Amino acid sequence: MKKYIFLSLLMALVTTFVACGSDDNDKDMTAPVISGRGLTASPINCQVYHPGDVISFRYLFEDDTELGSFNIEVHGNFDHHSHSTEADDHDHEGSECHHDDDHEAETSGTPWVFNQDYGIPAGQVSYKAAVEIPIPADVRHGDYHFMIRLTDRAGWQQLKAVAILIEGAE
């Protein structure tokens, strides 16, 4: 009789663990993806802009369950720090570009800082993001990082850092 009680309890425990484990199959455990697949991605590493230009932001966002929102941030890279998200880009590894030293000496103008959140319509697993971002006319020339943060509905995040250059008139 004790043997049957023990087996019954063991079966109940196994059933409980299997039932709890099935909940994990319903949870989103995958980060979203930022890509340029099927479109001309912009901006790309080492792209050059001028004060007063407009950056036409174009990227494809995908997730296996549901996308949430994205953020675009632009900040100066005058100290040449790196976010290193472009390891597969062998021409421009990391988020650094190498330009003439003349660009490094420029210190006039206001360093540009841009930070904006954007929503993605509910239920989307694929979204072609398109945003027009004007560059201020009085912006300081030099190296900048263009950061893309994509978050899915479950909270997983993907980051892409792109190095751009803002230089004076030619």
Side-chain angles (χ1 to χ4, degrees):
M1 182 73 163
K2 289 182 183 181
K3 183 177 179 181
Y4 291 114
I5 292 173
F6 174 75
L7 285 174
S8 295
L9 287 173
L10 184 61
M11 294 282 283
L13 270 171
V14 169
T15 304
T16 302
F17 284 123
V18 170
C20 290
S22 66
D23 288 343
D24 289 340
N25 294 334
D26 297 335
K27 291 182 183 174
D28 182 356
M29 302 301 289
T30 307
V33 176
I34 301 168
S35 79
R37 186 175 56 84
L39 52 88
T40 303
S42 175
I44 58 172
N45 261 337
C46 301
Q47 196 160 356
V48 177
Y49 295 94
H50 300 92
D53 283 353
V54 173
I55 298 174
S56 294
F57 172 78
R58 304 286 185 270
Y59 274 92
L60 176 66
F61 301 149
E62 297 177 296
D63 189 62
D64 61 336
T65 305
E66 185 177 3
L67 293 165
S69 63
F70 66 101
N71 171 276
I72 297 173
E73 176 193 344
V74 180
H75 63 264
N77 185 24
F78 309 117
D79 62 353
H80 300 286
H81 63 277
S82 178
H83 297 281
S84 301
T85 66
E86 291 295 302
D88 60 337
D89 183 354
H90 301 293
D91 293 329
H92 309 292
E93 288 192 17
S95 50
E96 281 286 329
C97 294
H98 302 288
H99 301 284
D100 297 337
D101 289 335
D102 293 343
H103 298 296
E104 307 306 319
E106 182 68 44
T107 58
S108 64
T110 304
W112 184 29
V113 177
F114 178 88
N115 194 334
Q116 183 68 48
D117 294 322
Y118 301 90
I120 297 173
Q124 301 293 309
V125 295
S126 180
Y127 182 76
K128 290 183 180 179
V131 179
E132 301 298 317
I133 303 168
I135 300 172
D138 65 343
V139 70
R140 178 178 172 182
H141 304 164
D143 293 320
Y144 284 83
H145 281 153
F146 190 103
M147 308 288 295
I148 307 160
R149 289 178 185 84
L150 174 62
T151 307
D152 68 13
R153 290 279 183 217
W156 292 102
Q157 189 176 83
Q158 185 65 260
L159 172 71
K160 181 175 184 70
V162 177
I164 64 172
L165 175 70
I166 299 176
E167 63 181 26
E170 296 179 40

